[in-house]
mmCIF file of all heavy atoms in Angstrom:
data_model
loop_
_atom_site.group_PDB
_atom_site.id
_atom_site.type_symbol
_atom_site.label_atom_id
_atom_site.label_comp_id
_atom_site.label_asym_id
_atom_site.label_seq_id
_atom_site.Cartn_x
_atom_site.Cartn_y
_atom_site.Cartn_z
ATOM 1 N N ALA R 4 0.832 -1.199 0.000
ATOM 2 C CA ALA R 4 0.000 0.000 0.000
ATOM 3 C C ALA R 4 0.869 1.253 0.000
ATOM 4 O O ALA R 4 0.556 2.235 -0.674
ATOM 5 C CB ALA R 4 -0.929 0.009 1.206
ATOM 6 N N ALA R 5 1.966 1.233 0.736
ATOM 7 C CA ALA R 5 2.859 2.383 0.782
ATOM 8 C C ALA R 5 3.543 2.570 -0.564
ATOM 9 O O ALA R 5 3.774 3.697 -1.000
ATOM 10 C CB ALA R 5 3.893 2.206 1.887
ATOM 11 N N ALA R 6 3.855 1.484 -1.239
ATOM 12 C CA ALA R 6 4.511 1.582 -2.536
ATOM 13 C C ALA R 6 3.550 2.116 -3.600
ATOM 14 O O ALA R 6 3.978 2.732 -4.574
ATOM 15 C CB ALA R 6 5.044 0.212 -2.952
ATOM 16 N N ALA R 7 2.267 1.882 -3.397
ATOM 17 C CA ALA R 7 1.288 2.333 -4.381
ATOM 18 C C ALA R 7 1.084 3.848 -4.334
ATOM 19 O O ALA R 7 0.546 4.423 -5.261
ATOM 20 C CB ALA R 7 -0.057 1.636 -4.143
ATOM 21 N N GLY R 8 1.512 4.517 -3.276
ATOM 22 C CA GLY R 8 1.372 5.967 -3.180
ATOM 23 C C GLY R 8 0.148 6.337 -2.354
ATOM 24 O O GLY R 8 -0.548 5.482 -1.814
ATOM 25 N N PRO R 9 -0.125 7.617 -2.272
ATOM 26 C CA PRO R 9 -1.269 8.074 -1.468
ATOM 27 C C PRO R 9 -2.589 7.636 -2.114
ATOM 28 O O PRO R 9 -2.657 7.456 -3.324
ATOM 29 C CB PRO R 9 -1.127 9.599 -1.471
ATOM 30 C CG PRO R 9 -0.309 9.912 -2.668
ATOM 31 C CD PRO R 9 0.582 8.718 -2.889
ATOM 32 N N PRO R 10 -3.606 7.464 -1.278
ATOM 33 C CA PRO R 10 -4.895 7.049 -1.836
ATOM 34 C C PRO R 10 -5.483 8.143 -2.737
ATOM 35 O O PRO R 10 -5.279 9.329 -2.511
ATOM 36 C CB PRO R 10 -5.770 6.823 -0.605
ATOM 37 C CG PRO R 10 -5.116 7.605 0.473
ATOM 38 C CD PRO R 10 -3.642 7.639 0.147
ATOM 39 N N VAL R 11 -6.188 7.725 -3.745
ATOM 40 C CA VAL R 11 -6.814 8.655 -4.672
ATOM 41 C C VAL R 11 -8.134 9.120 -4.062
ATOM 42 O O VAL R 11 -8.938 8.307 -3.604
ATOM 43 C CB VAL R 11 -7.072 7.962 -6.035
ATOM 44 C CG1 VAL R 11 -7.806 8.903 -6.976
ATOM 45 C CG2 VAL R 11 -5.775 7.487 -6.642
ATOM 46 N N ALA R 12 -8.339 10.416 -4.033
ATOM 47 C CA ALA R 12 -9.579 10.965 -3.473
ATOM 48 C C ALA R 12 -10.726 10.716 -4.448
ATOM 49 O O ALA R 12 -10.614 10.985 -5.636
ATOM 50 C CB ALA R 12 -9.420 12.450 -3.215
ATOM 51 N N LEU R 13 -11.806 10.178 -3.930
ATOM 52 C CA LEU R 13 -12.968 9.927 -4.766
ATOM 53 C C LEU R 13 -13.765 11.193 -5.010
ATOM 54 O O LEU R 13 -14.414 11.351 -6.033
ATOM 55 C CB LEU R 13 -13.866 8.868 -4.119
ATOM 56 C CG LEU R 13 -13.237 7.485 -3.960
ATOM 57 C CD1 LEU R 13 -14.201 6.565 -3.228
ATOM 58 C CD2 LEU R 13 -12.866 6.911 -5.306
ATOM 59 N N VAL R 14 -13.733 12.117 -4.060
ATOM 60 C CA VAL R 14 -14.442 13.380 -4.180
ATOM 61 C C VAL R 14 -13.417 14.503 -4.168
ATOM 62 O O VAL R 14 -12.551 14.540 -3.301
ATOM 63 C CB VAL R 14 -15.444 13.565 -3.020
ATOM 64 C CG1 VAL R 14 -16.119 14.924 -3.103
ATOM 65 C CG2 VAL R 14 -16.465 12.452 -3.012
ATOM 66 N N ARG R 15 -13.517 15.391 -5.131
ATOM 67 C CA ARG R 15 -12.612 16.536 -5.157
ATOM 68 C C ARG R 15 -13.325 17.701 -4.491
ATOM 69 O O ARG R 15 -14.286 18.248 -5.029
ATOM 70 C CB ARG R 15 -12.258 16.886 -6.592
ATOM 71 C CG ARG R 15 -11.245 17.964 -6.680
ATOM 72 C CD ARG R 15 -10.769 18.163 -8.109
ATOM 73 N NE ARG R 15 -10.048 19.393 -8.161
ATOM 74 C CZ ARG R 15 -10.281 20.361 -9.019
ATOM 75 N NH1 ARG R 15 -11.186 20.208 -9.930
ATOM 76 N NH2 ARG R 15 -9.581 21.460 -8.987
ATOM 77 N N TRP R 16 -12.901 18.061 -3.305
ATOM 78 C CA TRP R 16 -13.530 19.128 -2.539
ATOM 79 C C TRP R 16 -13.141 20.465 -3.128
ATOM 80 O O TRP R 16 -12.023 20.674 -3.575
ATOM 81 C CB TRP R 16 -13.110 19.051 -1.075
ATOM 82 C CG TRP R 16 -13.602 17.800 -0.429
ATOM 83 C CD1 TRP R 16 -12.884 16.683 -0.164
ATOM 84 C CD2 TRP R 16 -14.932 17.516 -0.014
ATOM 85 N NE1 TRP R 16 -13.666 15.716 0.398
ATOM 86 C CE2 TRP R 16 -14.944 16.205 0.499
ATOM 87 C CE3 TRP R 16 -16.124 18.238 -0.036
ATOM 88 C CZ2 TRP R 16 -16.092 15.610 0.998
ATOM 89 C CZ3 TRP R 16 -17.259 17.644 0.457
ATOM 90 C CH2 TRP R 16 -17.243 16.349 0.973
ATOM 91 N N PRO R 17 -14.061 21.425 -3.130
ATOM 92 C CA PRO R 17 -13.743 22.744 -3.682
ATOM 93 C C PRO R 17 -12.745 23.480 -2.796
ATOM 94 O O PRO R 17 -12.675 23.244 -1.594
ATOM 95 C CB PRO R 17 -15.092 23.461 -3.715
ATOM 96 C CG PRO R 17 -15.944 22.746 -2.730
ATOM 97 C CD PRO R 17 -15.438 21.335 -2.667
ATOM 98 N N SER R 18 -11.998 24.370 -3.444
ATOM 99 C CA SER R 18 -11.079 25.213 -2.685
ATOM 100 C C SER R 18 -11.911 26.220 -1.883
ATOM 101 O O SER R 18 -13.119 26.337 -2.061
ATOM 102 C CB SER R 18 -10.143 25.953 -3.639
ATOM 103 O OG SER R 18 -10.859 26.944 -4.359
ATOM 104 N N ALA R 19 -11.238 26.960 -1.012
ATOM 105 C CA ALA R 19 -11.941 27.961 -0.211
ATOM 106 C C ALA R 19 -12.613 28.995 -1.111
ATOM 107 O O ALA R 19 -13.750 29.406 -0.862
ATOM 108 C CB ALA R 19 -10.973 28.634 0.756
ATOM 109 N N TRP R 20 -11.926 29.419 -2.185
ATOM 110 C CA TRP R 20 -12.504 30.400 -3.101
ATOM 111 C C TRP R 20 -13.730 29.835 -3.810
ATOM 112 O O TRP R 20 -14.725 30.523 -4.002
ATOM 113 C CB TRP R 20 -11.471 30.866 -4.123
ATOM 114 C CG TRP R 20 -10.454 31.774 -3.524
ATOM 115 C CD1 TRP R 20 -9.141 31.492 -3.303
ATOM 116 C CD2 TRP R 20 -10.659 33.103 -3.047
ATOM 117 N NE1 TRP R 20 -8.513 32.562 -2.713
ATOM 118 C CE2 TRP R 20 -9.434 33.571 -2.557
ATOM 119 C CE3 TRP R 20 -11.759 33.939 -2.993
ATOM 120 C CZ2 TRP R 20 -9.279 34.841 -2.024
ATOM 121 C CZ3 TRP R 20 -11.613 35.205 -2.459
ATOM 122 C CH2 TRP R 20 -10.378 35.640 -1.982
ATOM 123 N N GLN R 21 -13.648 28.577 -4.214
ATOM 124 C CA GLN R 21 -14.793 27.951 -4.876
ATOM 125 C C GLN R 21 -15.962 27.800 -3.910
ATOM 126 O O GLN R 21 -17.122 27.994 -4.288
ATOM 127 C CB GLN R 21 -14.401 26.599 -5.461
ATOM 128 C CG GLN R 21 -13.500 26.718 -6.669
ATOM 129 C CD GLN R 21 -12.936 25.372 -7.088
ATOM 130 O OE1 GLN R 21 -12.662 24.525 -6.252
ATOM 131 N NE2 GLN R 21 -12.777 25.192 -8.389
ATOM 132 N N ALA R 22 -15.679 27.467 -2.668
ATOM 133 C CA ALA R 22 -16.738 27.338 -1.665
ATOM 134 C C ALA R 22 -17.419 28.686 -1.428
ATOM 135 O O ALA R 22 -18.654 28.761 -1.323
ATOM 136 C CB ALA R 22 -16.171 26.781 -0.356
ATOM 137 N N ILE R 23 -16.618 29.744 -1.365
ATOM 138 C CA ILE R 23 -17.194 31.086 -1.214
ATOM 139 C C ILE R 23 -18.086 31.403 -2.407
ATOM 140 O O ILE R 23 -19.201 31.904 -2.257
ATOM 141 C CB ILE R 23 -16.073 32.142 -1.062
ATOM 142 C CG1 ILE R 23 -15.385 31.979 0.296
ATOM 143 C CG2 ILE R 23 -16.624 33.558 -1.238
ATOM 144 C CD1 ILE R 23 -14.116 32.786 0.430
ATOM 145 N N GLY R 24 -17.612 31.098 -3.593
ATOM 146 C CA GLY R 24 -18.396 31.335 -4.800
ATOM 147 C C GLY R 24 -19.692 30.550 -4.806
ATOM 148 O O GLY R 24 -20.753 31.086 -5.143
ATOM 149 N N LEU R 25 -19.638 29.287 -4.421
ATOM 150 C CA LEU R 25 -20.846 28.463 -4.360
ATOM 151 C C LEU R 25 -21.854 29.026 -3.369
ATOM 152 O O LEU R 25 -23.053 29.089 -3.649
ATOM 153 C CB LEU R 25 -20.490 27.029 -3.977
ATOM 154 C CG LEU R 25 -19.920 26.147 -5.075
ATOM 155 C CD1 LEU R 25 -19.406 24.838 -4.483
ATOM 156 C CD2 LEU R 25 -20.960 25.876 -6.133
ATOM 157 N N LEU R 26 -21.363 29.456 -2.214
ATOM 158 C CA LEU R 26 -22.252 30.034 -1.207
ATOM 159 C C LEU R 26 -22.889 31.338 -1.691
ATOM 160 O O LEU R 26 -24.087 31.561 -1.494
ATOM 161 C CB LEU R 26 -21.503 30.268 0.100
ATOM 162 C CG LEU R 26 -21.128 28.996 0.878
ATOM 163 C CD1 LEU R 26 -20.238 29.349 2.062
ATOM 164 C CD2 LEU R 26 -22.380 28.272 1.327
ATOM 165 N N LEU R 27 -22.094 32.185 -2.331
ATOM 166 C CA LEU R 27 -22.639 33.445 -2.854
ATOM 167 C C LEU R 27 -23.676 33.188 -3.946
ATOM 168 O O LEU R 27 -24.734 33.820 -3.971
ATOM 169 C CB LEU R 27 -21.516 34.329 -3.381
ATOM 170 C CG LEU R 27 -20.632 34.991 -2.330
ATOM 171 C CD1 LEU R 27 -19.445 35.684 -2.985
ATOM 172 C CD2 LEU R 27 -21.439 35.983 -1.514
ATOM 173 N N LEU R 28 -23.369 32.254 -4.847
ATOM 174 C CA LEU R 28 -24.323 31.933 -5.915
ATOM 175 C C LEU R 28 -25.612 31.358 -5.338
ATOM 176 O O LEU R 28 -26.712 31.706 -5.781
ATOM 177 C CB LEU R 28 -23.695 30.960 -6.913
ATOM 178 C CG LEU R 28 -22.643 31.564 -7.848
ATOM 179 C CD1 LEU R 28 -21.918 30.467 -8.603
ATOM 180 C CD2 LEU R 28 -23.283 32.547 -8.803
ATOM 181 N N ALA R 29 -25.486 30.486 -4.351
ATOM 182 C CA ALA R 29 -26.678 29.909 -3.716
ATOM 183 C C ALA R 29 -27.489 31.000 -3.016
ATOM 184 O O ALA R 29 -28.729 30.999 -3.085
ATOM 185 C CB ALA R 29 -26.272 28.824 -2.724
ATOM 186 N N ALA R 30 -26.812 31.949 -2.378
ATOM 187 C CA ALA R 30 -27.525 33.036 -1.697
ATOM 188 C C ALA R 30 -28.268 33.917 -2.695
ATOM 189 O O ALA R 30 -29.420 34.294 -2.464
ATOM 190 C CB ALA R 30 -26.543 33.874 -0.876
ATOM 191 N N VAL R 31 -27.631 34.233 -3.809
ATOM 192 C CA VAL R 31 -28.290 35.069 -4.816
ATOM 193 C C VAL R 31 -29.467 34.322 -5.432
ATOM 194 O O VAL R 31 -30.539 34.904 -5.649
ATOM 195 C CB VAL R 31 -27.289 35.529 -5.893
ATOM 196 C CG1 VAL R 31 -27.991 36.235 -7.032
ATOM 197 C CG2 VAL R 31 -26.243 36.441 -5.281
ATOM 198 N N MET R 32 -29.307 33.033 -5.701
ATOM 199 C CA MET R 32 -30.431 32.256 -6.253
ATOM 200 C C MET R 32 -31.579 32.177 -5.241
ATOM 201 O O MET R 32 -32.747 32.237 -5.624
ATOM 202 C CB MET R 32 -29.969 30.857 -6.672
ATOM 203 C CG MET R 32 -29.146 30.829 -7.950
ATOM 204 S SD MET R 32 -29.982 31.471 -9.415
ATOM 205 C CE MET R 32 -31.149 30.179 -9.758
ATOM 206 N N ALA R 33 -31.263 32.073 -3.964
ATOM 207 C CA ALA R 33 -32.313 32.077 -2.939
ATOM 208 C C ALA R 33 -33.035 33.421 -2.926
ATOM 209 O O ALA R 33 -34.267 33.475 -2.777
ATOM 210 C CB ALA R 33 -31.718 31.771 -1.570
ATOM 211 N N CYS R 34 -32.294 34.510 -3.095
ATOM 212 C CA CYS R 34 -32.925 35.834 -3.191
ATOM 213 C C CYS R 34 -33.831 35.908 -4.412
ATOM 214 O O CYS R 34 -34.907 36.506 -4.361
ATOM 215 C CB CYS R 34 -31.861 36.928 -3.275
ATOM 216 S SG CYS R 34 -31.019 37.246 -1.726
ATOM 217 N N LYS R 35 -33.413 35.297 -5.509
ATOM 218 C CA LYS R 35 -34.241 35.285 -6.721
ATOM 219 C C LYS R 35 -35.560 34.566 -6.460
ATOM 220 O O LYS R 35 -36.606 34.996 -6.937
ATOM 221 C CB LYS R 35 -33.511 34.610 -7.883
ATOM 222 C CG LYS R 35 -32.386 35.388 -8.476
ATOM 223 C CD LYS R 35 -32.861 36.611 -9.213
ATOM 224 C CE LYS R 35 -33.793 36.261 -10.336
ATOM 225 N NZ LYS R 35 -34.600 37.380 -10.797
ATOM 226 N N VAL R 36 -35.524 33.473 -5.723
ATOM 227 C CA VAL R 36 -36.758 32.748 -5.397
ATOM 228 C C VAL R 36 -37.676 33.650 -4.576
ATOM 229 O O VAL R 36 -38.884 33.742 -4.834
ATOM 230 C CB VAL R 36 -36.442 31.438 -4.642
ATOM 231 C CG1 VAL R 36 -37.688 30.810 -4.065
ATOM 232 C CG2 VAL R 36 -35.727 30.462 -5.569
ATOM 233 N N TRP R 37 -37.115 34.337 -3.610
ATOM 234 C CA TRP R 37 -37.903 35.252 -2.785
ATOM 235 C C TRP R 37 -38.458 36.399 -3.640
ATOM 236 O O TRP R 37 -39.624 36.781 -3.505
ATOM 237 C CB TRP R 37 -37.036 35.785 -1.647
ATOM 238 C CG TRP R 37 -37.755 36.708 -0.730
ATOM 239 C CD1 TRP R 37 -38.643 36.376 0.249
ATOM 240 C CD2 TRP R 37 -37.657 38.131 -0.720
ATOM 241 N NE1 TRP R 37 -39.105 37.507 0.876
ATOM 242 C CE2 TRP R 37 -38.510 38.599 0.301
ATOM 243 C CE3 TRP R 37 -36.925 39.054 -1.456
ATOM 244 C CZ2 TRP R 37 -38.654 39.951 0.592
ATOM 245 C CZ3 TRP R 37 -37.067 40.398 -1.167
ATOM 246 C CH2 TRP R 37 -37.925 40.833 -0.150
ATOM 247 N N LEU R 38 -37.627 36.935 -4.550
ATOM 248 C CA LEU R 38 -38.071 38.034 -5.404
ATOM 249 C C LEU R 38 -39.176 37.609 -6.361
ATOM 250 O O LEU R 38 -39.999 38.437 -6.768
ATOM 251 C CB LEU R 38 -36.895 38.598 -6.203
ATOM 252 C CG LEU R 38 -35.987 39.564 -5.474
ATOM 253 C CD1 LEU R 38 -34.800 39.945 -6.345
ATOM 254 C CD2 LEU R 38 -36.745 40.810 -5.056
ATOM 255 N N ASN R 39 -39.193 36.336 -6.735
ATOM 256 C CA ASN R 39 -40.257 35.836 -7.612
ATOM 257 C C ASN R 39 -41.634 36.161 -7.048
ATOM 258 O O ASN R 39 -42.565 36.441 -7.787
ATOM 259 C CB ASN R 39 -40.154 34.316 -7.762
ATOM 260 C CG ASN R 39 -39.490 33.922 -9.039
ATOM 261 O OD1 ASN R 39 -39.256 34.731 -9.916
ATOM 262 N ND2 ASN R 39 -39.175 32.654 -9.144
ATOM 263 N N LEU R 40 -41.732 36.096 -5.755
ATOM 264 C CA LEU R 40 -43.015 36.339 -5.099
ATOM 265 C C LEU R 40 -43.253 37.813 -4.803
ATOM 266 O O LEU R 40 -44.365 38.193 -4.432
ATOM 267 C CB LEU R 40 -43.080 35.531 -3.799
ATOM 268 C CG LEU R 40 -42.922 34.020 -3.963
ATOM 269 C CD1 LEU R 40 -42.765 33.347 -2.622
ATOM 270 C CD2 LEU R 40 -44.085 33.449 -4.750
ATOM 271 N N ARG R 41 -42.234 38.639 -4.927
ATOM 272 C CA ARG R 41 -42.338 40.040 -4.521
ATOM 273 C C ARG R 41 -42.392 41.027 -5.694
ATOM 274 O O ARG R 41 -42.993 42.081 -5.587
ATOM 275 C CB ARG R 41 -41.141 40.424 -3.637
ATOM 276 C CG ARG R 41 -41.034 39.591 -2.389
ATOM 277 C CD ARG R 41 -42.063 40.049 -1.383
ATOM 278 N NE ARG R 41 -41.888 39.343 -0.131
ATOM 279 C CZ ARG R 41 -42.786 38.530 0.393
ATOM 280 N NH1 ARG R 41 -43.899 38.305 -0.220
ATOM 281 N NH2 ARG R 41 -42.573 37.939 1.538
ATOM 282 N N ILE R 42 -41.702 40.699 -6.784
ATOM 283 C CA ILE R 42 -41.643 41.637 -7.909
ATOM 284 C C ILE R 42 -42.986 41.646 -8.627
ATOM 285 O O ILE R 42 -43.611 40.608 -8.824
ATOM 286 C CB ILE R 42 -40.497 41.255 -8.871
ATOM 287 C CG1 ILE R 42 -39.164 41.570 -8.210
ATOM 288 C CG2 ILE R 42 -40.609 41.981 -10.193
ATOM 289 C CD1 ILE R 42 -37.964 41.298 -9.066
ATOM 290 N N ASN R 43 -43.418 42.839 -9.032
ATOM 291 C CA ASN R 43 -44.700 42.990 -9.726
ATOM 292 C C ASN R 43 -44.758 42.125 -10.975
ATOM 293 O O ASN R 43 -43.768 41.967 -11.693
ATOM 294 C CB ASN R 43 -44.916 44.445 -10.124
ATOM 295 C CG ASN R 43 -45.111 45.340 -8.945
ATOM 296 O OD1 ASN R 43 -45.468 44.890 -7.859
ATOM 297 N ND2 ASN R 43 -44.879 46.626 -9.141
ATOM 298 N N LEU R 44 -45.940 41.615 -11.231
ATOM 299 C CA LEU R 44 -46.181 40.909 -12.484
ATOM 300 C C LEU R 44 -46.331 41.968 -13.570
ATOM 301 O O LEU R 44 -47.010 42.970 -13.376
ATOM 302 C CB LEU R 44 -47.444 40.058 -12.378
ATOM 303 C CG LEU R 44 -47.453 39.032 -11.242
ATOM 304 C CD1 LEU R 44 -48.790 38.324 -11.205
ATOM 305 C CD2 LEU R 44 -46.333 38.036 -11.404
ATOM 306 N N ASN R 45 -45.710 41.737 -14.715
ATOM 307 C CA ASN R 45 -45.707 42.740 -15.772
ATOM 308 C C ASN R 45 -46.684 42.370 -16.879
ATOM 309 O O ASN R 45 -46.985 41.195 -17.094
ATOM 310 C CB ASN R 45 -44.299 42.894 -16.352
ATOM 311 C CG ASN R 45 -43.345 43.450 -15.330
ATOM 312 O OD1 ASN R 45 -43.571 44.527 -14.785
ATOM 313 N ND2 ASN R 45 -42.281 42.711 -15.029
ATOM 314 N N TRP R 46 -47.130 43.379 -17.601
ATOM 315 C CA TRP R 46 -48.113 43.162 -18.661
ATOM 316 C C TRP R 46 -47.597 42.199 -19.705
ATOM 317 O O TRP R 46 -48.359 41.411 -20.264
ATOM 318 C CB TRP R 46 -48.509 44.496 -19.303
ATOM 319 C CG TRP R 46 -47.412 45.092 -20.137
ATOM 320 C CD1 TRP R 46 -46.473 45.980 -19.733
ATOM 321 C CD2 TRP R 46 -47.138 44.809 -21.510
ATOM 322 N NE1 TRP R 46 -45.612 46.268 -20.766
ATOM 323 C CE2 TRP R 46 -46.002 45.564 -21.878
ATOM 324 C CE3 TRP R 46 -47.730 43.997 -22.472
ATOM 325 C CZ2 TRP R 46 -45.453 45.518 -23.153
ATOM 326 C CZ3 TRP R 46 -47.179 43.956 -23.750
ATOM 327 C CH2 TRP R 46 -46.062 44.726 -24.074
ATOM 328 N N ASP R 47 -46.274 42.252 -20.017
ATOM 329 C CA ASP R 47 -45.768 41.377 -21.066
ATOM 330 C C ASP R 47 -45.756 39.912 -20.637
ATOM 331 O O ASP R 47 -45.838 39.016 -21.479
ATOM 332 C CB ASP R 47 -44.395 41.831 -21.557
ATOM 333 C CG ASP R 47 -43.355 41.935 -20.465
ATOM 334 O OD1 ASP R 47 -43.737 42.021 -19.281
ATOM 335 O OD2 ASP R 47 -42.160 41.947 -20.795
ATOM 336 N N GLU R 48 -45.695 39.648 -19.333
ATOM 337 C CA GLU R 48 -45.807 38.268 -18.866
ATOM 338 C C GLU R 48 -47.229 37.754 -19.081
ATOM 339 O O GLU R 48 -47.433 36.603 -19.490
ATOM 340 C CB GLU R 48 -45.412 38.169 -17.397
ATOM 341 C CG GLU R 48 -43.933 38.432 -17.166
ATOM 342 C CD GLU R 48 -43.558 38.422 -15.706
ATOM 343 O OE1 GLU R 48 -44.004 39.332 -14.974
ATOM 344 O OE2 GLU R 48 -42.825 37.497 -15.311
#
């Protein structure tokens, strides 16, 4: 096992920057869901 090298990770975890980006994107999408119910319906819809 030692000769084979370190174990291969099955899941590649995001870096700190990627995690921040994912959280920000999720927060903005959650705001969009909330805004769906709040923004006026428009005549063109």
Side-chain angles (χ1 to χ4, degrees):
V11 176
L13 297 176
V14 176
R15 185 172 167 232
W16 295 102
S18 70
W20 287 110
Q21 289 170 325
I23 290 169
L25 282 171
L26 289 173
L27 287 172
L28 286 170
V31 172
M32 286 300 287
C34 286
K35 288 291 300 161
V36 169
W37 181 77
L38 280 175
N39 260 350
L40 301 170
R41 301 284 185 243
I42 288 182
N43 292 339
L44 303 177
N45 294 303
W46 71 267
D47 56 340
E48 292 176 293

